[in-house]
């Protein structure tokens, strides 16, 4: 292929790639996580998407509950998501899957750090301008943990930019 044709193909690809707006959002959330007991969880996530596919990094913390021998869990997760590209009546649905590290602690007697995977989904609901309500459900698979398959249900405020 001649160099002029290669340049034309490269320019065309760059123009096509730049015509899709990149979107980012920041979410602060709170919710409940189960296994072995229901307890509060909080976190923050930063996402970046191109039309249908996106990436998200999240950190979250679930509180300890000594009465039920429920350890605290701190996690960091990197995820990939797919979503409908254009909100339908203000709703944008997504499915998400990722992996990361977690640290489980119970008082001073127990601590475990290992890897986890997570899958889930949810919806972002337009509120006003760039502000959205995010409803999310995830199930985690924690390797070698006291509570190996906790589930989390959360709600948060998302700021798109």
């Amino acid at each position: 292929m001649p160099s002029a044709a290669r340049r034309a193909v490269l320019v065309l690809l760059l123009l096509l790639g730049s015509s899709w707006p990149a979107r980012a959002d920041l979410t602060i959330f709170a919710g409940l996580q189960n296994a072995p007991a229901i307890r509060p969880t909080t976190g923050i996530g930063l996402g970046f998407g191109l039309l249908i596919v996106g990436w998200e990094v999240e950190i979250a913390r679930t509180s300890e509950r000594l009465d039920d021998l429920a350890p605290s869990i701190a996690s960091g997760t990197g995820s990939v998501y797919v979503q409908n590209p254009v909100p339908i009546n203000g709703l944008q649905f997504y499915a998400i899957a990722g992996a990361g590290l977690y640290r489980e602690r119970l008082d001073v007697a127990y601590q475990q750090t290992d890897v986890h995977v997570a899958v889930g989904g949810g919806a972002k609901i337009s509120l006003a301008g760039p502000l959205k309500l995010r409803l999310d459900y995830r199930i985690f698979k924690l390797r070698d943990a006291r509570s190996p398959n906790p589930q989390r249900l959360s709600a948060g405020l998302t700021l798109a930019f």
Side-chain angles (χ1 to χ4, degrees), residues 35-37 39 64-72 104-107 110 146-147:
R39 52 209 195 281
E64 175 182 69
R65 198 159 161 190
L66 289 174
D67 296 345
D68 296 315
L69 297 177
S72 68
E104 194 177 44
R105 286 187 183 170
L106 185 60
D107 203 18
Y110 172 78
R146 285 182 162 231
S147 43

Side-chain angles (χ1 to χ4, degrees), residues 8-20:
V9 168
L10 180 60
V11 167
L12 180 62
L13 289 174
L14 288 173
L15 287 173
L16 286 174
S18 65
S19 67
W20 295 335

Side-chain angles (χ1 to χ4, degrees), residues 5 10 24 48 50 59 64 81 89 105 121 135 146 158:
L10 180 60
F48 174 78
L50 292 170
I59 55 172
E64 175 182 69
Y81 62 85
N89 293 327
R105 286 187 183 170
L135 303 175
R146 285 182 162 231
T158 297

Side-chain angles (χ1 to χ4, degrees), residues 2 10 15 17 22 28-29 35 37-38 53 56 64 69 72-73 75 80 86 94 103 114-115 117 119 133:
L10 180 60
L15 287 173
I28 298 172
F29 64 87
I38 296 174
V53 177
E56 180 182 77
E64 175 182 69
L69 297 177
S72 68
I73 300 173
S75 63
V80 175
V86 178
Y94 64 90
R103 175 168 286 160
D114 214 322
V115 296
V117 294
V119 295
L133 171 66

